[in-house]
Amino acid sequence: MEGGDVSLFQISIKKKMAERKKRIVTGDRPTGRLHIGHYFGSLKKRVEMQNSGEYDPYILIADVQALTDNFNNPDKVRKNVREVVMDYLSVGIDPKKSTIYIQSMIPEVAELTVFYSNLVTIARLQRNPTVKTEITQKKELFGESVTYGFLGYPVSQAADITALAGEFVPVGEDQQPLIEQCKEIVRKFNSIYGEVLVEPEIVLSEGKRIKGLDGNEKMGKSLGNAIYLSDTPEEISKKVMSAVTDPARIKKDDPGHPDVCMVAYYHKLFQEDQYEQVCKECKAGSRGCVACKKELAQVITDYLAPMRKIRAYYEERPEEVDKILIEGTKKAQETAKEVMKQVKKAMKLDYFSDEIK
Ligand code: TRP
């Protein structure tokens, strides 16, 4: 290569680096369909980031992590892989812009988990607020003593993020302690083995955590208070009609208290511009709860209609969903291999790297 070519080459590398989009890594456990809590808490933000064109998003279906508390139910995890992918596609995750892949098919993630487990203490994992809450919720599964795998899932999540050199992690606020733990692992790794890993940053949605239809602070499958992205108009209507309203309002023309009513709360979420009017009519006793609920059910149904339409398309074409996963997983494998090369070199584990692949 001649001098002129070298400088051209260097310029093109520099250009490439400057052009390289910021890497996003995020994902969900395939333990059930996704609901509007997931949507407002994280999915909406992911779609916005994807469409801004500034990011290179990798979205993983965390099947290994799902097994940490569903190890006795592999069918459930398997079945929900495609469901979650269809939920992603339905909200506007575009496989041309985002890479959707299966966690268990990236062996580097398992390898990194082992390497990182030296950099975390058991006490630190036991203090992780997310893990702590989940363990108390899962007493039935774990009894008095939690498994090694479940206690260690933050380590494997750190491997998910760093295996792909994730810089931004858009997730719900319940994930904050896990990202914090990942950052600690990255700092520890880099301080011992050299600056190899990227320290990620959490990206939270502006919106708060979505409450359940029953007024519970959290919407969740196990809590039975969720509206799923894939719910039919009938299911939506049935759920909304059973939502918790102002208990002090007995007769239709009693003045209502929208601040304690879940129906008013959802009006605000789905049609903020109408919220003031809804409250005014409710407080004046001129808006009956039944009519108010019927209106809300219609608003939610209309809001989710485009998602249902995309989902229906993919439900008819499971082979297209599989193709998206195959392509995405292949791409994620390539990226993880590159990162692993650097990690092994830094840890002095790069034996015979020219001879044995
Ligand atoms: N813990 C996440 C959840 O429960 C799923 C997850 C696994 C994840 N690996 C991740 C999220 C990496 C962001 C980045 O939904």
Short mmCIF file of all heavy atoms in Angstrom, two decimals, residues 203-263:
data_model
loop_
_atom_site.label_atom_id
_atom_site.label_comp_id
_atom_site.label_asym_id
_atom_site.label_seq_id
_atom_site.Cartn_x
_atom_site.Cartn_y
_atom_site.Cartn_z
N VAL A 203 -31.07 4.27 30.51
CA VAL A 203 -31.94 5.31 29.93
C VAL A 203 -33.36 5.02 30.41
O VAL A 203 -33.95 4.00 30.07
CB VAL A 203 -31.91 5.29 28.39
CG1 VAL A 203 -32.76 6.42 27.83
CG2 VAL A 203 -30.49 5.37 27.87
N LEU A 204 -33.88 5.93 31.24
CA LEU A 204 -35.23 5.73 31.77
C LEU A 204 -36.23 6.53 30.95
O LEU A 204 -35.89 7.57 30.38
CB LEU A 204 -35.28 6.19 33.23
CG LEU A 204 -34.45 5.37 34.21
CD1 LEU A 204 -34.41 6.05 35.58
CD2 LEU A 204 -34.99 3.96 34.35
N SER A 205 -37.46 6.04 30.91
CA SER A 205 -38.52 6.79 30.23
C SER A 205 -38.93 7.95 31.13
O SER A 205 -38.81 7.86 32.35
CB SER A 205 -39.72 5.90 29.99
OG SER A 205 -39.32 4.77 29.26
N GLU A 206 -39.47 9.00 30.52
CA GLU A 206 -39.90 10.15 31.32
C GLU A 206 -41.07 9.73 32.22
O GLU A 206 -41.19 10.17 33.35
CB GLU A 206 -40.37 11.33 30.46
CG GLU A 206 -39.36 11.80 29.42
CD GLU A 206 -39.38 10.93 28.18
OE1 GLU A 206 -40.48 10.52 27.75
OE2 GLU A 206 -38.29 10.63 27.64
N GLY A 207 -41.92 8.88 31.67
CA GLY A 207 -43.11 8.46 32.39
C GLY A 207 -42.77 7.65 33.62
O GLY A 207 -41.69 7.06 33.71
N LYS A 208 -43.68 7.63 34.57
CA LYS A 208 -43.46 6.84 35.78
C LYS A 208 -43.88 5.40 35.55
O LYS A 208 -44.43 5.05 34.52
CB LYS A 208 -44.28 7.44 36.92
CG LYS A 208 -43.66 8.70 37.50
CD LYS A 208 -43.95 8.82 38.97
CE LYS A 208 -45.37 9.12 39.32
NZ LYS A 208 -45.96 10.36 39.00
N ARG A 209 -43.62 4.60 36.52
CA ARG A 209 -44.09 3.21 36.49
C ARG A 209 -45.62 3.21 36.39
O ARG A 209 -46.30 4.01 37.04
CB ARG A 209 -43.64 2.53 37.78
CG ARG A 209 -44.25 1.18 37.99
CD ARG A 209 -43.81 0.60 39.29
NE ARG A 209 -42.42 0.18 39.22
CZ ARG A 209 -41.77 -0.36 40.23
NH1 ARG A 209 -42.36 -0.52 41.39
NH2 ARG A 209 -40.53 -0.75 40.11
N ILE A 210 -46.13 2.30 35.58
CA ILE A 210 -47.58 2.25 35.36
C ILE A 210 -48.25 1.40 36.44
O ILE A 210 -47.85 0.26 36.67
CB ILE A 210 -47.89 1.65 33.96
CG1 ILE A 210 -47.14 2.43 32.88
CG2 ILE A 210 -49.38 1.62 33.69
CD1 ILE A 210 -47.37 3.90 32.89
N LYS A 211 -49.27 1.99 37.04
CA LYS A 211 -50.00 1.24 38.07
C LYS A 211 -50.94 0.23 37.42
O LYS A 211 -51.35 0.39 36.28
CB LYS A 211 -50.83 2.20 38.91
CG LYS A 211 -49.99 3.12 39.77
CD LYS A 211 -50.90 3.96 40.64
CE LYS A 211 -50.10 5.11 41.25
NZ LYS A 211 -50.92 6.13 41.84
N GLY A 212 -51.31 -0.78 38.20
CA GLY A 212 -52.25 -1.80 37.71
C GLY A 212 -53.68 -1.32 37.74
O GLY A 212 -54.00 -0.30 38.35
N LEU A 213 -54.57 -2.06 37.07
CA LEU A 213 -55.99 -1.71 37.03
C LEU A 213 -56.62 -1.71 38.42
O LEU A 213 -57.63 -1.07 38.67
CB LEU A 213 -56.74 -2.75 36.17
CG LEU A 213 -56.50 -2.68 34.67
CD1 LEU A 213 -56.85 -4.01 34.03
CD2 LEU A 213 -57.32 -1.56 34.05
N ASP A 214 -55.99 -2.47 39.33
CA ASP A 214 -56.51 -2.57 40.69
C ASP A 214 -55.94 -1.51 41.61
O ASP A 214 -56.17 -1.52 42.81
CB ASP A 214 -56.18 -3.96 41.25
CG ASP A 214 -54.68 -4.26 41.15
OD1 ASP A 214 -53.93 -3.41 40.61
OD2 ASP A 214 -54.25 -5.32 41.62
N GLY A 215 -55.13 -0.61 41.05
CA GLY A 215 -54.54 0.45 41.88
C GLY A 215 -53.20 0.06 42.47
O GLY A 215 -52.52 0.87 43.09
N ASN A 216 -52.79 -1.20 42.26
CA ASN A 216 -51.48 -1.64 42.73
C ASN A 216 -50.39 -0.80 42.07
O ASN A 216 -50.50 -0.44 40.90
CB ASN A 216 -51.29 -3.13 42.38
CG ASN A 216 -50.11 -3.75 43.08
OD1 ASN A 216 -49.00 -3.23 43.03
ND2 ASN A 216 -50.35 -4.88 43.74
N GLU A 217 -49.34 -0.50 42.81
CA GLU A 217 -48.25 0.35 42.30
C GLU A 217 -47.60 -0.22 41.05
O GLU A 217 -46.97 0.49 40.28
CB GLU A 217 -47.19 0.55 43.39
CG GLU A 217 -47.54 1.58 44.43
CD GLU A 217 -47.89 2.95 43.84
OE1 GLU A 217 -47.11 3.45 43.01
OE2 GLU A 217 -48.94 3.51 44.21
N LYS A 218 -47.69 -1.53 40.89
CA LYS A 218 -47.02 -2.15 39.75
C LYS A 218 -48.01 -2.95 38.90
O LYS A 218 -48.92 -3.58 39.44
CB LYS A 218 -45.91 -3.08 40.26
CG LYS A 218 -44.95 -3.45 39.18
CD LYS A 218 -43.77 -4.26 39.66
CE LYS A 218 -43.05 -4.80 38.43
NZ LYS A 218 -41.92 -5.62 38.70
N MET A 219 -47.82 -2.89 37.60
CA MET A 219 -48.62 -3.73 36.72
C MET A 219 -47.80 -4.98 36.44
O MET A 219 -46.62 -4.90 36.09
CB MET A 219 -48.89 -2.98 35.41
CG MET A 219 -49.65 -3.81 34.39
SD MET A 219 -50.15 -2.87 32.93
CE MET A 219 -51.60 -2.04 33.53
N GLY A 220 -48.41 -6.14 36.61
CA GLY A 220 -47.63 -7.35 36.38
C GLY A 220 -48.52 -8.53 36.06
O GLY A 220 -49.68 -8.57 36.46
N LYS A 221 -47.91 -9.47 35.34
CA LYS A 221 -48.66 -10.66 34.95
C LYS A 221 -49.11 -11.42 36.20
O LYS A 221 -50.27 -11.79 36.33
CB LYS A 221 -47.77 -11.55 34.09
CG LYS A 221 -48.51 -12.72 33.50
CD LYS A 221 -47.75 -13.31 32.36
CE LYS A 221 -46.36 -13.73 32.79
NZ LYS A 221 -46.12 -15.11 32.95
N SER A 222 -48.16 -11.60 37.12
CA SER A 222 -48.48 -12.41 38.29
C SER A 222 -49.50 -11.70 39.18
O SER A 222 -50.16 -12.33 40.00
CB SER A 222 -47.20 -12.71 39.07
OG SER A 222 -46.49 -11.51 39.28
N LEU A 223 -49.60 -10.38 39.03
CA LEU A 223 -50.55 -9.63 39.86
C LEU A 223 -51.95 -9.63 39.25
O LEU A 223 -52.92 -9.21 39.89
CB LEU A 223 -50.05 -8.18 40.04
CG LEU A 223 -48.68 -8.03 40.70
CD1 LEU A 223 -48.14 -6.62 40.52
CD2 LEU A 223 -48.74 -8.38 42.17
N GLY A 224 -52.07 -10.08 38.01
CA GLY A 224 -53.39 -10.18 37.36
C GLY A 224 -54.06 -8.84 37.13
O GLY A 224 -55.27 -8.74 37.13
N ASN A 225 -53.26 -7.79 36.97
CA ASN A 225 -53.85 -6.45 36.82
C ASN A 225 -53.33 -5.73 35.57
O ASN A 225 -53.22 -4.51 35.55
CB ASN A 225 -53.54 -5.61 38.07
CG ASN A 225 -52.04 -5.47 38.28
OD1 ASN A 225 -51.25 -5.93 37.46
ND2 ASN A 225 -51.65 -4.82 39.36
N ALA A 226 -53.01 -6.50 34.54
CA ALA A 226 -52.34 -5.93 33.37
C ALA A 226 -53.24 -5.89 32.14
O ALA A 226 -54.10 -6.75 31.97
CB ALA A 226 -51.09 -6.74 33.06
N ILE A 227 -53.00 -4.90 31.29
CA ILE A 227 -53.59 -4.89 29.95
C ILE A 227 -52.45 -5.22 28.99
O ILE A 227 -51.45 -4.50 28.93
CB ILE A 227 -54.20 -3.52 29.61
CG1 ILE A 227 -55.38 -3.22 30.54
CG2 ILE A 227 -54.66 -3.48 28.15
CD1 ILE A 227 -55.99 -1.85 30.34
N TYR A 228 -52.62 -6.31 28.26
CA TYR A 228 -51.56 -6.74 27.34
C TYR A 228 -51.66 -6.01 26.01
O TYR A 228 -52.75 -5.64 25.58
CB TYR A 228 -51.64 -8.26 27.11
CG TYR A 228 -51.28 -8.98 28.37
CD1 TYR A 228 -52.25 -9.34 29.30
CD2 TYR A 228 -49.95 -9.23 28.68
CE1 TYR A 228 -51.91 -9.94 30.50
CE2 TYR A 228 -49.60 -9.82 29.87
CZ TYR A 228 -50.58 -10.17 30.78
OH TYR A 228 -50.24 -10.74 31.97
N LEU A 229 -50.52 -5.82 25.38
CA LEU A 229 -50.48 -5.15 24.07
C LEU A 229 -51.31 -5.94 23.06
O LEU A 229 -51.85 -5.37 22.12
CB LEU A 229 -49.03 -5.04 23.58
CG LEU A 229 -48.09 -4.23 24.47
CD1 LEU A 229 -46.66 -4.34 23.99
CD2 LEU A 229 -48.53 -2.77 24.52
N SER A 230 -51.41 -7.24 23.29
CA SER A 230 -52.12 -8.10 22.34
C SER A 230 -53.56 -8.38 22.76
O SER A 230 -54.24 -9.19 22.14
CB SER A 230 -51.35 -9.42 22.22
OG SER A 230 -51.10 -9.96 23.50
N ASP A 231 -54.05 -7.74 23.82
CA ASP A 231 -55.44 -7.97 24.26
C ASP A 231 -56.44 -7.59 23.16
O ASP A 231 -56.23 -6.59 22.44
CB ASP A 231 -55.75 -7.15 25.52
CG ASP A 231 -55.35 -7.88 26.80
OD1 ASP A 231 -55.01 -9.07 26.73
OD2 ASP A 231 -55.39 -7.24 27.88
N THR A 232 -57.51 -8.36 23.07
CA THR A 232 -58.57 -8.04 22.09
C THR A 232 -59.44 -6.91 22.67
O THR A 232 -59.42 -6.67 23.89
CB THR A 232 -59.49 -9.26 21.87
OG1 THR A 232 -60.11 -9.60 23.13
CG2 THR A 232 -58.71 -10.46 21.35
N PRO A 233 -60.23 -6.24 21.81
CA PRO A 233 -61.13 -5.19 22.32
C PRO A 233 -62.03 -5.72 23.44
O PRO A 233 -62.29 -5.02 24.42
CB PRO A 233 -61.95 -4.80 21.10
CG PRO A 233 -61.06 -5.11 19.93
CD PRO A 233 -60.26 -6.31 20.34
N GLU A 234 -62.46 -6.97 23.33
CA GLU A 234 -63.33 -7.55 24.37
C GLU A 234 -62.58 -7.68 25.69
O GLU A 234 -63.12 -7.37 26.76
CB GLU A 234 -63.85 -8.94 23.95
CG GLU A 234 -64.77 -8.96 22.74
CD GLU A 234 -64.05 -8.66 21.42
OE1 GLU A 234 -62.86 -9.02 21.30
OE2 GLU A 234 -64.67 -8.05 20.53
N GLU A 235 -61.34 -8.16 25.60
CA GLU A 235 -60.55 -8.31 26.83
C GLU A 235 -60.29 -6.95 27.48
O GLU A 235 -60.37 -6.79 28.69
CB GLU A 235 -59.21 -9.01 26.53
CG GLU A 235 -59.37 -10.50 26.31
CD GLU A 235 -58.16 -11.16 25.64
OE1 GLU A 235 -57.49 -10.51 24.81
OE2 GLU A 235 -57.90 -12.32 25.96
N ILE A 236 -59.97 -5.97 26.63
CA ILE A 236 -59.70 -4.63 27.16
C ILE A 236 -60.95 -4.11 27.87
O ILE A 236 -60.87 -3.63 29.01
CB ILE A 236 -59.29 -3.66 26.02
CG1 ILE A 236 -57.94 -4.10 25.44
CG2 ILE A 236 -59.22 -2.22 26.53
CD1 ILE A 236 -57.55 -3.38 24.16
N SER A 237 -62.09 -4.25 27.22
CA SER A 237 -63.33 -3.73 27.79
C SER A 237 -63.64 -4.41 29.13
O SER A 237 -63.97 -3.75 30.12
CB SER A 237 -64.45 -3.93 26.76
OG SER A 237 -65.68 -3.84 27.38
N LYS A 238 -63.48 -5.73 29.16
CA LYS A 238 -63.75 -6.47 30.39
C LYS A 238 -62.86 -6.00 31.54
O LYS A 238 -63.31 -5.79 32.67
CB LYS A 238 -63.52 -7.96 30.13
CG LYS A 238 -64.45 -8.84 30.92
CD LYS A 238 -64.34 -10.29 30.48
CE LYS A 238 -64.27 -11.17 31.70
NZ LYS A 238 -63.45 -12.35 31.55
N LYS A 239 -61.58 -5.80 31.22
CA LYS A 239 -60.63 -5.38 32.27
C LYS A 239 -60.93 -3.95 32.74
O LYS A 239 -60.89 -3.68 33.94
CB LYS A 239 -59.20 -5.46 31.73
CG LYS A 239 -58.73 -6.89 31.59
CD LYS A 239 -57.33 -6.97 31.03
CE LYS A 239 -56.92 -8.42 30.85
NZ LYS A 239 -55.60 -8.54 30.24
N VAL A 240 -61.20 -3.07 31.78
CA VAL A 240 -61.44 -1.67 32.16
C VAL A 240 -62.72 -1.57 33.00
O VAL A 240 -62.76 -0.83 33.99
CB VAL A 240 -61.52 -0.76 30.91
CG1 VAL A 240 -61.97 0.64 31.30
CG2 VAL A 240 -60.17 -0.69 30.21
N MET A 241 -63.72 -2.35 32.66
CA MET A 241 -64.98 -2.28 33.42
C MET A 241 -64.78 -2.72 34.87
O MET A 241 -65.55 -2.34 35.74
CB MET A 241 -66.09 -3.13 32.77
CG MET A 241 -66.54 -2.67 31.37
SD MET A 241 -66.83 -0.91 31.13
CE MET A 241 -68.43 -0.68 31.83
N SER A 242 -63.74 -3.53 35.10
CA SER A 242 -63.51 -4.00 36.47
C SER A 242 -62.46 -3.16 37.22
O SER A 242 -62.08 -3.47 38.35
CB SER A 242 -63.06 -5.46 36.45
OG SER A 242 -61.73 -5.52 35.98
N ALA A 243 -61.99 -2.08 36.58
CA ALA A 243 -60.94 -1.26 37.21
C ALA A 243 -61.47 -0.59 38.48
O ALA A 243 -62.66 -0.33 38.62
CB ALA A 243 -60.45 -0.21 36.23
N VAL A 244 -60.55 -0.31 39.38
CA VAL A 244 -60.91 0.30 40.66
C VAL A 244 -61.19 1.80 40.48
O VAL A 244 -60.38 2.53 39.93
CB VAL A 244 -59.77 0.08 41.69
CG1 VAL A 244 -60.01 0.89 42.95
CG2 VAL A 244 -59.66 -1.39 42.02
N THR A 245 -62.36 2.21 40.97
CA THR A 245 -62.73 3.64 40.89
C THR A 245 -62.84 4.22 42.30
O THR A 245 -62.51 3.56 43.28
CB THR A 245 -64.08 3.81 40.17
OG1 THR A 245 -65.03 2.96 40.79
CG2 THR A 245 -63.98 3.46 38.69
N ASP A 246 -63.31 5.45 42.36
CA ASP A 246 -63.46 6.15 43.63
C ASP A 246 -64.46 5.42 44.53
O ASP A 246 -65.64 5.34 44.22
CB ASP A 246 -63.94 7.58 43.31
CG ASP A 246 -64.27 8.37 44.55
OD1 ASP A 246 -63.95 7.89 45.66
OD2 ASP A 246 -64.82 9.47 44.41
N PRO A 247 -64.01 4.87 45.66
CA PRO A 247 -64.91 4.08 46.51
C PRO A 247 -66.00 4.93 47.17
O PRO A 247 -67.04 4.40 47.57
CB PRO A 247 -63.97 3.47 47.56
CG PRO A 247 -62.75 4.33 47.54
CD PRO A 247 -62.64 4.94 46.19
N ALA A 248 -65.76 6.25 47.25
CA ALA A 248 -66.73 7.12 47.92
C ALA A 248 -67.91 7.47 47.00
O ALA A 248 -68.88 8.08 47.42
CB ALA A 248 -66.03 8.40 48.39
N ARG A 249 -67.75 7.08 45.74
CA ARG A 249 -68.80 7.48 44.79
C ARG A 249 -69.77 6.32 44.59
O ARG A 249 -69.45 5.33 43.95
CB ARG A 249 -68.12 7.83 43.47
CG ARG A 249 -69.03 8.57 42.55
CD ARG A 249 -68.29 9.12 41.38
NE ARG A 249 -69.23 9.78 40.51
CZ ARG A 249 -69.00 10.04 39.24
NH1 ARG A 249 -67.84 9.68 38.71
NH2 ARG A 249 -69.90 10.63 38.52
N ILE A 250 -70.92 6.46 45.17
CA ILE A 250 -71.87 5.34 45.15
C ILE A 250 -72.94 5.56 44.07
O ILE A 250 -73.16 4.71 43.22
CB ILE A 250 -72.49 5.12 46.54
CG1 ILE A 250 -71.36 4.72 47.51
CG2 ILE A 250 -73.55 4.02 46.50
CD1 ILE A 250 -71.64 4.96 48.94
N LYS A 251 -73.55 6.72 44.11
CA LYS A 251 -74.56 7.02 43.09
C LYS A 251 -73.91 7.76 41.92
O LYS A 251 -72.91 8.44 42.08
CB LYS A 251 -75.67 7.88 43.70
CG LYS A 251 -76.51 7.07 44.72
CD LYS A 251 -77.84 7.69 45.03
CE LYS A 251 -77.82 9.09 45.59
NZ LYS A 251 -77.14 9.32 46.85
N LYS A 252 -74.54 7.61 40.77
CA LYS A 252 -73.98 8.15 39.54
C LYS A 252 -73.68 9.66 39.63
O LYS A 252 -72.68 10.14 39.12
CB LYS A 252 -74.94 7.86 38.39
CG LYS A 252 -74.44 8.26 37.04
CD LYS A 252 -75.37 7.76 35.93
CE LYS A 252 -75.05 8.40 34.61
NZ LYS A 252 -75.88 9.52 34.26
N ASP A 253 -74.58 10.41 40.28
CA ASP A 253 -74.33 11.85 40.30
C ASP A 253 -73.64 12.34 41.58
O ASP A 253 -73.56 13.54 41.82
CB ASP A 253 -75.61 12.66 39.98
CG ASP A 253 -76.83 12.07 40.65
OD1 ASP A 253 -76.63 11.20 41.55
OD2 ASP A 253 -77.96 12.46 40.32
N ASP A 254 -73.09 11.40 42.38
CA ASP A 254 -72.20 11.82 43.48
C ASP A 254 -70.96 12.46 42.86
O ASP A 254 -70.49 11.99 41.82
CB ASP A 254 -71.71 10.60 44.28
CG ASP A 254 -72.79 10.01 45.19
OD1 ASP A 254 -73.79 10.71 45.42
OD2 ASP A 254 -72.61 8.86 45.63
N PRO A 255 -70.42 13.49 43.51
CA PRO A 255 -69.18 14.05 42.95
C PRO A 255 -68.02 13.06 43.12
O PRO A 255 -67.86 12.45 44.19
CB PRO A 255 -68.94 15.31 43.79
CG PRO A 255 -69.79 15.16 45.01
CD PRO A 255 -70.91 14.23 44.68
N GLY A 256 -67.24 12.87 42.06
CA GLY A 256 -66.15 11.88 42.10
C GLY A 256 -64.81 12.49 42.47
O GLY A 256 -64.65 13.71 42.52
N HIS A 257 -63.86 11.62 42.78
CA HIS A 257 -62.48 12.04 43.12
C HIS A 257 -61.51 11.38 42.15
O HIS A 257 -61.01 10.28 42.43
CB HIS A 257 -62.14 11.65 44.56
CG HIS A 257 -63.09 12.24 45.56
ND1 HIS A 257 -64.24 11.61 45.96
CD2 HIS A 257 -63.06 13.43 46.20
CE1 HIS A 257 -64.87 12.38 46.83
NE2 HIS A 257 -64.18 13.49 46.99
N PRO A 258 -61.27 12.02 41.01
CA PRO A 258 -60.43 11.39 39.97
C PRO A 258 -59.02 11.05 40.44
O PRO A 258 -58.39 10.14 39.92
CB PRO A 258 -60.41 12.41 38.84
CG PRO A 258 -61.02 13.65 39.37
CD PRO A 258 -61.81 13.32 40.59
N ASP A 259 -58.54 11.76 41.47
CA ASP A 259 -57.16 11.50 41.93
C ASP A 259 -57.01 10.13 42.58
O ASP A 259 -55.89 9.64 42.73
CB ASP A 259 -56.70 12.62 42.88
CG ASP A 259 -57.76 12.97 43.92
OD1 ASP A 259 -58.96 12.95 43.57
OD2 ASP A 259 -57.39 13.24 45.07
N VAL A 260 -58.12 9.50 42.99
CA VAL A 260 -58.00 8.15 43.55
C VAL A 260 -58.59 7.09 42.62
O VAL A 260 -58.76 5.93 43.01
CB VAL A 260 -58.67 8.03 44.95
CG1 VAL A 260 -57.97 8.92 45.96
CG2 VAL A 260 -60.16 8.34 44.88
N CYS A 261 -58.91 7.49 41.39
CA CYS A 261 -59.60 6.58 40.46
C CYS A 261 -58.65 6.09 39.37
O CYS A 261 -57.99 6.88 38.70
CB CYS A 261 -60.77 7.33 39.83
SG CYS A 261 -61.59 6.37 38.56
N MET A 262 -58.58 4.77 39.21
CA MET A 262 -57.68 4.20 38.20
C MET A 262 -58.13 4.53 36.77
O MET A 262 -57.32 4.62 35.86
CB MET A 262 -57.58 2.68 38.35
CG MET A 262 -56.87 2.22 39.60
SD MET A 262 -55.46 3.24 40.00
CE MET A 262 -54.37 2.87 38.65
N VAL A 263 -59.43 4.71 36.61
CA VAL A 263 -59.95 5.02 35.27
C VAL A 263 -59.45 6.41 34.84
O VAL A 263 -58.97 6.60 33.71
CB VAL A 263 -61.49 4.92 35.24
CG1 VAL A 263 -62.02 5.26 33.86
CG2 VAL A 263 -61.92 3.51 35.64
#
